[in-house]
Amino acid sequence: MNHRNVLCKPLATPGRAIQQLDTKLRNLGAATVLNLPSVAVIGKRSSGKSSVIRGLTGVKVPRDFGLTTRCPLEVRMNTSEVEWNCQIYIRRRWSPGQSKSEKPFGGQLHASDDIELMLRRAQVAVLNRSLSMDMCLKLTHDQIEDKSFYGNNAFATDVICVDVKGPEIKSGSYVDLPGFADIADDYVVKRLEELVLSYISQPNVLILVVISMSDEIGNQKAHSLAKRLDPNGRRTIGILTKPDILSKSGDTETCKFWLNVIEGVGNGKELHLERGYYALRNPSTDQLKWHIKYEEAQLLERVFFCNNQPWSNRAHLTHRLRIDSLARAVNEVLTDVLLYSLPSIEKNAKTNLNLCLNELADLPPIITIDPLTTIKNLVQSFSKAARNAVDDSAGGFAEETLKLYRDLRLAIKQGAPNLQPWVDRCEYKQFNTILDCIDKYKKEWNEVRDNVAEDELSWDMPSIEYNQDLAWGLPMYLDDIKQIIQTSSTHGDGIEAVRASLVRDFSGRWRQPAFDCLSAVHKVLESNLLALLPDYFERFPTFKATMIQMLQARVNLAHAKALEVLEVVLEPEDDPFTQNDRYLMTLQDAWFRRYTLVRRKVDMVSSYHVSHLDWVVTPIHVNANRRNAADLVHQTKSLRKEWDISVSHEEWIDPESRAKPNLNDLEGRNHLIVPTSPRFLDREQANIQWTGLPTPDPSPVKNVQRPTRARFNTPPVVEPDLDTNIGKSLMVYEDEISLMAEVRAYFQLSSSQLIDTVPKLIERALLTKVINQLEEYLLHELEWILKKDPNNLDKLLREDQEIVGKRNSLLKKQRILDESCRAIAQFNVQAA
C-alpha cells in the first residue's frame, strides 16, 4: 500500500503480536537495513526538542541551556533480556560509491548517568574533525563548555547514534534534528532545511513538531516544513512547550489561541493536524542546573498541569497533556504504521536480501579446503590465465608486442647505409635546379624524351636516392666512396675491405633497436602478468607480494638469458655472408639498375648543357604585360640566388647605350634583365628560337659503353646502346656504383632476415621460456618458502582485512534480512 497513506487509517488497537514483531525486528537490527517506522523531532532552536527526546526515551541527552543540538542524534531503543547497556557510534555522511558505516565512539556504557557527557564529547568530535577521537574522549565537562572546541561549523550532517538495550526498554527509533535559528545566513538555512527534509520526507517517519508557545506560530519554520510534506497532518503530531509562559503572562487572547489549537476549535482550526497537539512542560533552566532525574521531571510536570490555570480546569484535555500521554500516542501510531506498512517492509527485505547475496557472490569465498591444495589451485589457475593472455592473438598483449616488432622493423630499416649515386652534393643540387628550369620548357624536351624508354626516364626523383627517413647519418656520394677506396688501397687493402667496413657499420647499428625491443617486450610481459594477480591473489596481501617477487625474478632471469643469445646474433659482421646467393644477386642487380638509372638521368640533363647563362637587357614597351614582366624578374632573382652567379662587366650590356647598366635602376621600370634559356648540344641553331643563345658546339657526341662490373656473385648487366652521351659517368664510377649496389643489396637481405630473427628469438627465449615453465617455477619456489618456515602457510593465506570486514558485514546483513523475512512470514501466518 502507499506509504504516504499509511497514517490515514484510524489508529488500530495494537495487538500483542505486532508489538512482539516490532521488538523482534529491532532486536535483530532490522532498523539498520530496513525502513522501519521511526520518529523525527524537529523545531526551533531551544524550543525543547532534546527534552522531548529525553522524555520519550529516558536517555539523558544534553539539554543544558545554550548547548543546542548541532548534528542529528539517533536514539535506537531495543528490548533485550541482557541488563541495561548503551553504545555510542558516529556515522559519517557518505558519498555515492562509499559504504555506509558506523564507528564506535568509546566503549560500552552501563550507567545512564555517563551518556550525557559522552554525547557532548561525540558532538565535539563531529563538529571539529581536526581533533582526534582519543582527544575528544578525554575532554572534561569544563573543556566541553568552552565553545572554541566546537569549531566554526553551525551544524554538521554526521550522525551520532545511541544504541540502548535493556529488559525494560520499549523498542523504537527517535531522531533529534538540529533546530532552526532566528538569525542565520541563507546558506546555513538552506543546508539545514535539506538535512531536515532528508529525514521527514520518508513516508514511515512520524514527525513531531516542537512549537514553543512563547513564540508566534508564523515564526515556526519547522511547522511550515511539516505542513509542506504532510498537508493534512496525517503523520504529524504537534508538541506545544513552555506552557508556564501562558500562566505567568496573563495574556488571555494568547492563552485562548493555544487552547483552541489543542482542542481544534475556533481560530485553532487553521493549524489542524489529524494526530492533534500535545502540551508538555519541560524542566526549567534552574531545574536543568540541578540535574533532576527523569522521574522527578515527570512528577513536576504532573504537578504543574494540576495546579496552574488554564490547564487545571481542562479535564477533557488531560489525554493531551504531559509526556506520558504523548508517549502512549507515539507508540500507538508507530505500531499502527508498522502494521499497515508490513507488506512493503517484507518486499524491501527480500529485495535487499537478494542484493546482499549477489554482493557476497562477488567476494572471494571462504576457504574450506586444505591450505596446500588452495595454494596449488591458485597457482594453476593463474598460470593458465597467463598462458591464455600471451597466446591470445587478438588480446592486448599480442597488440602491444606486435607494435613493438613493427617499431623494430622501422628502426632497422632506418639504419640503412645512406649511399647516394651522385658525384657530390653540388651535383645533386644542380641536377634538381636544372630540372626546375627544364620544367618550364617541357615542350622543348619532347624529342629527347622520345629517345629514351619511359620506364627508364622519369623526372621525379627515385624514392631510394635521398630519403632521410629510410637512411642513417649523412649521405655518402660517389666521390666519398672513391676516396675511401683509394685510402684503403694505399694501406694495402682492396675493395673487399671497404665493403666489409660498410657492412660492419650498418650491422652495428642494429644492436640498440634490438635490445630496446627485447627490454620493451620484457616490460610488457611483466606488466601483463602483474595485472592478472589481483584476480587471484588480491584477497591475500602477503601471497600477492610473494607472487610479485617471484614473477619479477623469473621474468628478469629469462630476460638476462635472452640478452646473451641476442648478443651473439647481433655481433657486427666483418664480412658479408649468405647462402641465399640467388636472392642476393637479384637484389644487387636491382640496386645497380636503380643507381645507373640515376646516373643516366644526370648525363642526359648534362647533355642539355648549361655552360653559362647569357644575360641580356631587354627593353619593355610601356603597354607591355606587367604581370609577365614580374614573373621574369622573379625568375631572374631566383636563378641568381640559387646558382650564385656573379655578373661581370661584359655580361651586362645595354644594346642602346653600350654601357654597363645599373640593375636596380633597370628592374621595375621599362627594362628587364632576363637569362637566356639553356640549349641542347645536339640541336641545330636554326631550330632554336631563343634570343641571345650562342652557337652550339658542332662536334658529335660519341656513344659511351659501360665497362664491366666488379663481380660480387652477380651476373653482368646488359650494356646500354644509346646514341647519346647517356651513361658516360658510369665509366668513371664503375667500382663505386658496384660497391654501393652490393652494400645496399646485402643490407636489404640481412635486415629482412634480422627483422624476423629478433622477434622469433624474443618469443622463444623470453615469452615461451617464462610461460611454459611458470607453474613449475612458482610451485617450486613456494615449496622452498614453506620448508623454510611452516608458519608461512598461514601468512600466505591470511586475507585482507578490508575483504574480511566487508564479508562479515554482508553476512551480518544477510542474517538480519533472512531472520526478518522469517519473522514477518511467521507473523502473517499467525495473523491469518
Side-chain angles (χ1 to χ4, degrees):
M1 65 188 309
N2 192 328
H3 284 195
R4 292 189 176 276
N5 295 328
V6 167
L7 295 176
C8 297
K9 302 291 182 180
L11 286 174
T13 302
R16 185 175 181 82
I18 191 65
Q19 291 179 346
Q20 290 177 345
L21 176 63
D22 179 70
T23 299
K24 187 173 184 178
L25 291 176
R26 296 186 186 278
N27 289 342
L28 289 173
T32 60
V33 295
L34 295 174
N35 189 20
L36 296 181
S38 61
V39 178
V41 183
I42 64 174
K44 194 175 180 180
R45 184 177 295 180
S46 300
S47 60
K49 297 184 290 76
S50 298
S51 296
V52 173
I53 291 289
R54 185 168 185 173
L56 291 174
T57 63
V59 177
K60 293 184 178 181
V61 297
R63 58 177 184 172
D64 286 356
F65 180 77
L67 292 177
T68 58
T69 302
R70 295 168 64 179
C71 66
L73 174 64
E74 291 186 9
V75 181
R76 301 186 293 232
M77 311 293 291
N78 296 286
T79 305
S80 174
E81 296 181 358
V82 300
E83 63 179 29
W84 188 96
N85 65 83
C86 173
Q87 177 65 59
I88 298 175
Y89 300 89
I90 292 180
R91 183 173 73 235
R92 301 292 184 184
R93 298 290 284 186
W94 67 97
S95 301
Q98 296 180 343
S99 60
K100 177 182 175 181
S101 60
E102 299 176 354
K103 293 185 178 181
F105 183 79
Q108 194 175 79
L109 304 177
H110 297 278
S112 59
D113 293 338
D114 297 335
I115 295 179
E116 185 174 356
L117 180 58
M118 287 296 290
L119 288 178
R120 290 181 177 178
R121 291 169 175 169
Q123 184 165 249
V124 172
V126 167
L127 293 172
N128 192 350
R129 291 197 178 190
S130 63
L131 300 178
S132 64
M133 289 286 189
D134 293 337
M135 182 177 181
C136 293
L137 287 170
K138 297 177 182 178
L139 292 176
T140 63
H141 187 277
D142 294 336
Q143 289 176 322
I144 292 174
E145 288 185 347
D146 185 359
K147 295 184 178 180
S148 62
F149 277 94
Y150 289 85
N152 299 323
N153 294 325
F155 71 95
T157 57
D158 295 340
V159 185
I160 299 175
C161 304
V162 184
D163 277 356
V164 182
K165 298 179 181 179
E168 298 180 358
I169 299 297
K170 175 64 179 176
S171 297
S173 178
Y174 305 84
V175 183
D176 183 13
L177 295 170
F180 294 95
D182 291 328
I183 302 176
D185 57 57
D186 294 339
Y187 175 74
V188 173
V189 172
K190 182 178 179 181
R191 287 195 61 201
L192 182 56
E193 183 177 332
E194 291 174 352
L195 175 64
V196 172
L197 289 175
S198 67
Y199 278 89
I200 67 176
S201 61
Q202 300 177 30
N204 280 1
V205 173
L206 175 63
I207 306 173
L208 300 186
V209 182
V210 181
I211 303 172
S212 174
M213 287 187 281
S214 63
D215 201 355
E216 295 183 2
I217 190 66
N219 295 333
Q220 306 289 343
K221 188 173 183 64
H223 185 274
S224 63
L225 288 179
K227 199 72 174 176
R228 185 200 306 176
L229 293 177
D230 186 25
N232 297 322
R234 293 168 179 168
R235 60 184 184 97
T236 304
I237 296 178
I239 301 174
L240 306 179
T241 60
K242 301 184 180 180
D244 50 336
I245 301 296
L246 300 182
S247 301
K248 295 178 182 179
S249 65
D251 188 347
T252 56
E253 291 296 328
T254 303
C255 182
K256 184 178 179 180
F257 170 75
W258 289 115
L259 289 175
N260 289 340
V261 169
I262 297 175
E263 296 177 3
V265 298
N267 55 358
K269 290 183 178 180
E270 299 178 359
L271 303 179
H272 171 73
L273 295 175
E274 189 171 316
R275 300 299 178 183
Y277 290 83
Y278 292 81
L280 306 181
R281 200 271 184 180
N282 296 324
S284 64
T285 303
D286 293 336
Q287 291 171 344
L288 291 176
K289 293 180 180 179
W290 299 338
H291 300 288
I292 63 173
K293 296 182 179 180
Y294 176 73
E295 294 78 7
E296 295 174 345
Q298 283 188 320
L299 178 60
L300 290 175
E301 183 185 36
R302 183 182 297 273
V303 171
F304 171 80
F305 283 113
C306 290
N307 298 333
N308 291 276
Q309 294 291 338
W311 315 105
S312 58
N313 59 353
R314 297 292 195 279
H316 62 286
L317 295 181
T318 303
H319 67 287
R320 294 284 178 176
L321 305 179
R322 302 190 307 272
I323 188 68
D324 52 347
S325 300
L326 175 64
R328 283 194 297 271
V330 169
N331 288 334
E332 290 175 356
V333 174
L334 290 177
T335 303
D336 199 37
V337 170
L338 178 60
L339 179 63
Y340 287 99
S341 62
L342 200 57
S344 63
I345 293 176
E346 183 180 17
K347 181 180 179 181
N348 291 336
K350 292 180 179 179
T351 302
N352 291 335
L353 179 59
N354 291 331
L355 294 175
C356 181
L357 293 174
N358 292 335
E359 291 186 52
L360 281 171
D362 293 336
L363 291 177
I366 298 177
I367 298 176
T368 57
I369 60 177
D370 177 61
L372 289 175
T373 304
T374 300
I375 289 178
K376 184 178 181 180
N377 292 341
L378 287 172
V379 171
Q380 289 176 344
S381 300
F382 171 77
S383 301
K384 183 178 179 180
R387 179 184 296 277
N388 294 336
V390 173
D391 293 343
D392 186 6
S393 59
F397 179 81
E399 291 182 0
E400 291 183 81
T401 52
L402 287 177
K403 181 181 181 301
L404 293 174
Y405 296 154
R406 288 193 295 267
D407 294 341
L408 171 66
R409 178 182 183 278
L410 179 61
I412 290 177
K413 289 298 184 182
Q414 288 177 334
N418 197 355
L419 306 176
Q420 304 295 332
W422 312 96
V423 174
D424 51 28
R425 184 167 180 78
C426 292
E427 184 188 60
Y428 170 75
K429 292 179 64 177
Q430 185 179 9
F431 177 79
N432 285 278
T433 305
I434 295 174
L435 282 183
D436 290 339
C437 262
I438 293 172
D439 190 59
K440 299 180 179 64
Y441 306 101
K442 282 188 176 179
K443 182 179 179 181
E444 309 298 333
W445 280 83
N446 292 335
E447 297 180 9
V448 177
R449 291 176 63 87
D450 293 340
N451 293 333
V452 183
E454 286 293 332
D455 59 344
E456 293 187 357
L457 180 61
S458 173
W459 299 116
D460 298 327
M461 293 292 292
S463 60
I464 65 168
E465 292 84 9
Y466 189 71
N467 190 337
Q468 193 65 29
D469 293 336
L470 295 177
W472 183 89
L474 296 175
M476 297 181 66
Y477 299 101
L478 292 173
D479 277 351
D480 298 328
I481 298 297
K482 181 182 285 292
Q483 184 177 359
I484 294 174
I485 293 175
Q486 292 175 353
T487 304
S488 178
S489 299
T490 57
H491 290 84
D493 299 324
I495 196 171
E496 292 79 7
V498 178
R499 182 174 57 216
S501 175
L502 293 174
V503 170
R504 184 168 52 253
D505 180 55
F506 72 69
S507 61
R509 291 195 291 268
W510 293 339
R511 295 171 56 84
Q512 194 60 45
F515 288 150
D516 292 344
C517 181
L518 175 61
S519 299
V521 174
H522 162 243
K523 292 180 180 179
V524 171
L525 175 62
E526 181 179 309
S527 63
N528 277 267
L529 292 178
L530 296 181
L532 292 174
L533 287 177
D535 296 339
Y536 301 91
F537 305 98
E538 187 67 27
R539 61 188 293 196
F540 309 114
T542 304
F543 202 170
K544 179 182 176 182
T546 304
M547 287 291 294
I548 291 175
Q549 294 177 357
M550 292 190 297
L551 285 175
Q552 290 177 338
R554 181 68 187 103
V555 175
N556 291 338
L557 178 61
H559 176 240
K561 293 184 177 180
L563 275 176
E564 296 177 0
V565 178
L566 193 61
E567 188 79 37
V568 176
V569 173
L570 296 175
E571 189 69 27
E573 299 185 36
D574 292 327
D575 192 49
F577 173 80
T578 182
Q579 298 190 70
N580 197 353
D581 297 335
R582 185 179 298 276
Y583 183 49
L584 178 61
M585 289 188 292
T586 303
L587 290 176
Q588 288 173 319
D589 185 64
W591 276 101
F592 189 84
R593 288 180 180 275
R594 288 194 175 188
Y595 285 146
T596 55
L597 176 61
V598 175
R599 295 312 309 165
R600 290 176 183 178
K601 290 183 179 182
V602 173
D603 295 341
M604 183 171 57
V605 171
S606 299
S607 69
Y608 192 59
H609 182 60
V610 182
S611 58
H612 65 278
L613 288 181
D614 297 328
W615 300 83
V616 297
V617 179
T618 305
I620 297 178
H621 195 271
V622 176
N623 295 326
N625 190 326
R626 300 302 297 175
R627 181 176 180 181
N628 293 337
D631 291 343
L632 290 173
V633 171
H634 176 72
Q635 295 175 16
T636 301
K637 292 180 178 179
S638 176
L639 288 174
R640 285 173 58 197
K641 181 178 180 180
E642 273 192 51
W643 290 24
D644 194 19
I645 298 175
S646 57
V647 183
S648 64
H649 176 76
E650 290 75 18
E651 289 175 317
W652 298 101
I653 301 177
D654 191 328
E656 298 182 0
S657 62
R658 314 299 298 176
K660 178 181 178 181
N662 187 316
L663 181 63
N664 294 325
D665 290 342
L666 291 175
E667 290 185 4
R669 293 193 296 159
N670 61 343
H671 290 78
L672 285 176
I673 303 173
V674 298
T676 58
S677 300
R679 57 183 172 78
F680 286 113
L681 290 177
D682 56 350
R683 297 190 57 184
E684 297 180 359
Q685 184 178 5
N687 294 331
I688 299 177
Q689 305 297 327
W690 298 317
T691 305
L693 221 91
T695 304
D697 186 0
S699 58
V701 179
K702 299 180 180 179
N703 292 335
V704 179
Q705 299 294 329
R706 187 179 67 81
T708 57
R709 300 177 56 199
R711 287 187 175 274
F712 184 61
N713 297 330
T714 307
V717 181
V718 180
E719 300 292 342
D721 187 13
L722 299 174
D723 191 19
T724 63
N725 65 343
I726 298 174
K728 66 177 183 179
S729 62
L730 298 179
M731 181 182 299
V732 181
Y733 294 103
E734 162 68 16
D735 293 339
E736 290 76 13
I737 294 176
S738 298
L739 180 61
M740 285 183 175
E742 294 165 2
V743 173
R744 285 307 302 261
Y746 188 73
F747 171 83
Q748 185 169 339
L749 174 64
S750 56
S751 62
S752 299
Q753 295 173 344
L754 188 72
I755 288 170
D756 293 332
T757 301
V758 172
K760 288 180 180 179
L761 186 149
I762 294 175
E763 292 284 334
R764 295 175 181 175
L766 179 61
L767 302 183
T768 305
K769 198 76 171 178
V770 171
I771 296 302
N772 288 350
Q773 302 176 2
L774 184 60
E775 180 181 339
E776 180 183 355
Y777 169 79
L778 293 175
L779 291 177
H780 180 269
E781 291 296 314
L782 289 171
E783 182 181 359
W784 180 83
I785 291 175
L786 295 179
K787 285 183 178 180
K788 183 179 179 182
D789 186 359
N791 294 328
N792 288 332
L793 180 61
D794 295 333
K795 295 179 181 179
L796 290 175
L797 295 181
R798 187 175 299 162
E799 287 191 283
D800 187 350
Q801 292 304 308
E802 183 177 352
I803 296 178
V804 173
K806 186 176 181 179
R807 183 191 294 115
N808 292 338
S809 177
L810 289 173
L811 289 174
K812 179 181 178 181
K813 184 178 179 179
Q814 178 194 7
R815 178 186 58 80
I816 293 174
L817 291 170
D818 186 55
E819 294 184 6
S820 298
C821 290
R822 294 175 184 272
I824 296 174
Q826 184 179 3
F827 171 82
N828 291 334
V829 171
Q830 294 176 355

